Amino acid sequence: MVFFTVPVTYSQTTGTVRKMQKVPAGIYYPFFSGNNEKVNSFLMDETAVTNAEYLEFVKANPAWRKSQVKRIYADANYLRYWESDLEIGKNNRALLNSPVVYVSWFAAKAYCAWKNKKLPSVAQWEYAASAKPVNLKTGLTEYILAWNAQPNPKMLPNVKSTYKNIYSIYDMHGLIWEWTSDFNSYTGSVDSKGNGQEEFNNFCGAGGANVKNKKDYASFLRYSYRGSLKGNYCIANLGFRCIKNL
Amino acid sequence: MFTKNNFFLLALLLSFSFYSCKSNTGQSTADNKIDTVLTGTVTAELTVAPEVPKPLTYTSPKRVKVELTCVEKVMELSDSTQYTFWTFGGHVPGQFIRVRQGDLVDFTLKNAPDSKNSHSIDLHAVIGPGGGAEATNTAPGQATHFEFRALHPGLYVYHCATAPVPLHIANGMYGLILVEPQGGMPKVDREYYLMQGEFYTKNKFEAKGLQEFDEEKAMAENPDYVLFNGRVRSATGAKALPAKVGETVRLYVGNGGPNLISSFHPIGQIFTKVYMEGGSEINTDVQTTLVPAGGAAIAEMKMHVPEVINLVDHSIFRAFNKGAIAQIKVTGEENPAIFRKVKQ
């Protein structure tokens, strides 16, 4: 078994302060049948981490620059749209306030640690993401499926460009996919395919058996997506936000 | 004691039993010892419908490399109607794969970097977990890889098997893989690839603009579109499939569904041979053959007279109102001994 040690020496400066919102305690009802999970109250970044914020992180932490990062922590696509280690590039100016994407799980985890925060668990993320929108005309599931039916935009919109939920948290759906701490029952093994319970559930009975709501195609898509990930993957529509337990 | 009628009946029964003994031994050819010693590596030719890869020329099993890429893209559903299709290879149906019984298929599934969703593949020609699906849940920009032995000859459907499977199929993620028997397929003059599939949209048939998937209609199995090769008029008019009088045409017909069974019928023709359900059993002299959802058939016709053959799903409202028509345009000499229009 291989153990990965993520670089843990961080700069003292932790950059811009991202506003966090309180998610009250409640119950997470797992999409795949299982025991309901109590979620304690926690703080969540009100938006995904932006390119501007991530730039501060790599400036303070050279090990996470494009040219320095180790392939086991981030694949060759890491920050592929950035011009160089510390330059997002002239053509990407509009992206400074858009979510950083093409970042690995290891990188996202390191960023959150630098902020004295953590990645949300699937339970925390899903619980926060199920909160009611305050400024959407359609139902949430319909909204997500419509987003899903569109190819990725050429330029990723800025944060706060979609909708806000009752906790004043933005863009939980409709902008990017987001990393979670336990996205694929992560074991540290190089190849975890076929071992994750989520993955088993996805294929069992063509993904129809044992789920909370067989009509909830939006949730199916999200759980399938998580099941396809590995920790070093860097993908065009995958970013993250951080949380803090209270 | 035999009456004349009884005698005929007995003769008829005997002829049927002889016929069935000859044509169906009830034994799969995969039960026979098949040659599996590999003699080299080839890369499979992949084609876009209605084209079919050339018949295979090798006579012993190979390692066959196949690479398919999942692509999500906006394409035309009809002349002024668009849809965000999820595809294998950028087309609906997905690219046609042709291998031979005994081959070891070295399969790579890629997912395009700008895909929004993860995708996978279940090939019905595979014996193994999920038909390959468990080994291939592939994130955008990534690739997965597995190998399988093509044990059974026949025409098989492949499709995406990532949850929710019905949505992936309804968006166009299906295609065909042909496993030629060890002796190859008999030679014909032309081969074409047709695959039926339904589309469920929020708006009506041929509403203009980009259409959204309608989950309620899909669950009610009430499609707006029933199509061959993923588009209204994909193979009609100027795009009709050409053939000439005297030729034999073989159609590799699949049905991606997700819901409907096709009653596949050639208007103004009769199938000389149908490999029923794409398997090894051959029926002859067939007017309409069933193509199950997630199934296939191989159908052959001899072209006798110049005509336009409308290939339809004979659940006829689908052909009339929902787009289920493809055409073969046969050119050549009239043959009045077979057909002639008589003037009054």
Side-chain angles (χ1 to χ4, degrees), chain B residues 23-49:
Chain B
S23 67
N24 185 6
T25 59
Q27 194 167 3
S28 164
T29 63
D31 295 342
N32 301 333
K33 211 170 174 199
I34 62 165
D35 191 5
T36 54
V37 180
L38 300 180
T39 54
T41 301
V42 293
T43 300
E45 179 194 0
L46 303 177
T47 59
V48 174

Side-chain angles (χ1 to χ4, degrees), chain B residues 231-263:
Chain B
R231 191 198 188 284
V232 181
R233 293 177 285 276
S234 66
T236 61
K239 287 184 279 182
L241 312 173
K244 292 199 174 87
V245 169
E247 289 181 336
T248 298
V249 173
R250 177 183 291 146
L251 301 173
Y252 294 102
V253 187
N255 185 1
N259 289 313
L260 303 182
I261 289 168
S262 177
S263 300

Side-chain angles (χ1 to χ4, degrees), chain A residues 99-154:
Chain A
V100 65
V101 289
Y102 285 113
V103 282
S104 66
W105 176 83
F106 292 104
K109 204 168 171 264
Y111 177 95
C112 292
W114 180 62
K115 292 281 188 184
N116 296 315
K117 297 177 186 176
K118 293 169 69 173
L119 279 176
S121 65
V122 169
Q124 287 171 318
W125 195 95
E126 287 286 333
Y127 175 67
S130 67
K132 270 208 174 106
V134 295
N135 54 352
L136 273 189
K137 289 190 184 104
T138 57
L140 189 55
T141 300
E142 206 179 331
Y143 176 77
I144 301 168
L145 288 175
W147 172 69
N148 224 281
Q150 293 158 17
N152 287 330
K154 287 219 166 62

